[in-house]
Amino acid sequence: MSRLINRLKADHVSLKLALKNAADFTRPAPERIRILAQAKTALLGHLEKENRELYPALKMAAESDQEIYDIVDVFATDMEQVAAQAMEFFNKYGDPATVAASFLADVQNVITFGIDLERLIILLGLRIGREEAQLYPAFEDISIRKAI
């Protein structure tokens, strides 16, 4: 497995752990929001790495390989939607003091946060699963072909 794919998969593990910790309601709200801020930074770094190192190779291969083209097309479109939804969540819950105050003001805000966070965890979990099952193997195939 290439170093890039190993790094991207390590990013996935870190991101999933951060989201799990943010969903731990035994932690104080400000701590969970700080964890989410770190998760946002990690996600943006991961996306930047994919855009800089993964997608250019895939797009080049897609010029002459319809199967790769189809994979890249689906994943690029999907990523726009996933990124928009993830950023909406991170922006909504970006300020620890404001979120903590809203939690104290009304328990419904805590429930809404939990629902929104669970939705994000599912959304990113599905994307991560698809990347690891389809996108990364396509990249590995391209890497192998280049090496031959």
Side-chain angles (χ1 to χ4, degrees), residues 24-80:
D24 179 357
F25 280 85
T26 64
R27 296 174 184 264
E31 180 183 343
R32 291 195 324 263
I33 300 306
R34 280 191 290 280
I35 291 168
L36 285 174
Q38 294 168 350
K40 177 183 176 183
T41 300
L43 178 61
L44 292 173
H46 176 80
L47 295 175
E48 192 276 327
K49 197 180 304 174
E50 285 183 339
N51 287 335
R52 186 183 66 241
E53 299 179 50
L54 180 77
Y55 280 104
L58 287 168
K59 287 178 182 177
M60 186 180 298
E63 292 174 5
S64 61
D65 185 325
Q66 185 64 43
E67 184 178 343
I68 299 292
Y69 177 87
D70 292 342
I71 290 170
V72 170
D73 185 51
V74 167
F75 274 87
T77 302
D78 179 62
M79 191 65 242
E80 289 175 18

Side-chain angles (χ1 to χ4, degrees), residues 3-38:
R3 282 187 288 148
L4 173 60
I5 299 303
N6 282 334
R7 289 192 334 253
L8 293 172
K9 285 184 174 185
D11 290 350
H12 287 167
V13 171
S14 297
L15 183 58
K16 288 191 285 188
L17 179 60
L19 293 173
K20 177 183 175 187
N21 288 333
D24 179 357
F25 280 85
T26 64
R27 296 174 184 264
E31 180 183 343
R32 291 195 324 263
I33 300 306
R34 280 191 290 280
I35 291 168
L36 285 174
Q38 294 168 350

